[in-house]
Amino acid sequence: MSNYMKEYINEIDKIIDNKNNDNIDEIIDNHLIKIKFFQHERVVHFLVTMLFALMFLITFLYSLNNISIGIIILDIMFLVLLIPYIYHYYYLENSVQYMYKQYDKLIERKKWRYYNSKIIRNKIGQKTYKYK
């Protein structure tokens, strides 16, 4: 998932840097769909991370009162799994927030293109009508 997300973020960055995008509306719509997809992924990973954190905490507190090698091994296994989950959730959270910034840049690009197209049309000699 992280490779897919990195590739997609890089692709959108290239689109943002490219000034000649005619299909900006389609790109924005697609980007919103991807944001929703990655938000869902983030929520699922958050729930899994919290579940592992809760299981680690329960086994850790239990091991304080009842010391046994099985509980300690189980506690270590939960901790070993919890650390990568926290790291991956951190990556997902930051990437989705970066995608929000990309979306803002795409919207600004759309506004810029609309504004510049009006200026170009007025410079070519199209009449502008003023309502009285």
Side-chain angles (χ1 to χ4, degrees), residues 26-129:
E26 183 180 323
I27 293 169
I28 289 172
D29 292 341
N30 186 38
H31 193 59
L32 283 176
I33 291 169
K34 295 287 185 171
I35 286 174
K36 289 178 185 177
F37 173 71
F38 289 127
Q39 283 175 333
H40 181 265
E41 186 77 18
R42 182 182 64 176
V43 168
V44 168
H45 278 278
F46 175 74
L47 294 174
V48 169
T49 302
M50 289 300 109
L51 179 65
F52 270 88
L54 183 63
M55 290 189 305
F56 169 73
L57 186 62
I58 290 170
T59 56
F60 179 74
L61 292 175
Y62 184 78
S63 68
L64 291 177
N65 290 332
N66 303 325
I67 298 176
S68 74
I69 204 72
I71 293 295
I72 293 173
I73 290 173
L74 185 62
D75 200 29
I76 290 171
M77 287 173 45
F78 283 138
L79 181 62
V80 165
L81 288 172
L82 181 61
I83 292 170
Y85 275 126
I86 290 172
Y87 175 76
H88 188 65
Y89 176 73
Y90 176 79
Y91 174 76
L92 287 174
E93 179 71 28
N94 288 335
S95 297
V96 169
Q97 288 181 12
Y98 183 75
M99 289 174 74
Y100 295 154
K101 292 176 185 176
Q102 285 179 323
Y103 174 76
D104 292 339
K105 289 178 184 177
L106 287 170
I107 293 296
E108 286 300 316
R109 172 66 55 81
K110 181 179 176 180
K111 289 178 186 176
W112 180 82
R113 284 181 60 91
Y114 175 75
Y115 176 72
N116 281 341
S117 68
K118 283 202 166 263
I119 290 174
I120 290 169
R121 275 184 273 163
N122 287 338
K123 285 183 180 178
I124 305 178
Q126 288 184 350
K127 294 181 180 178
T128 55
Y129 297 98

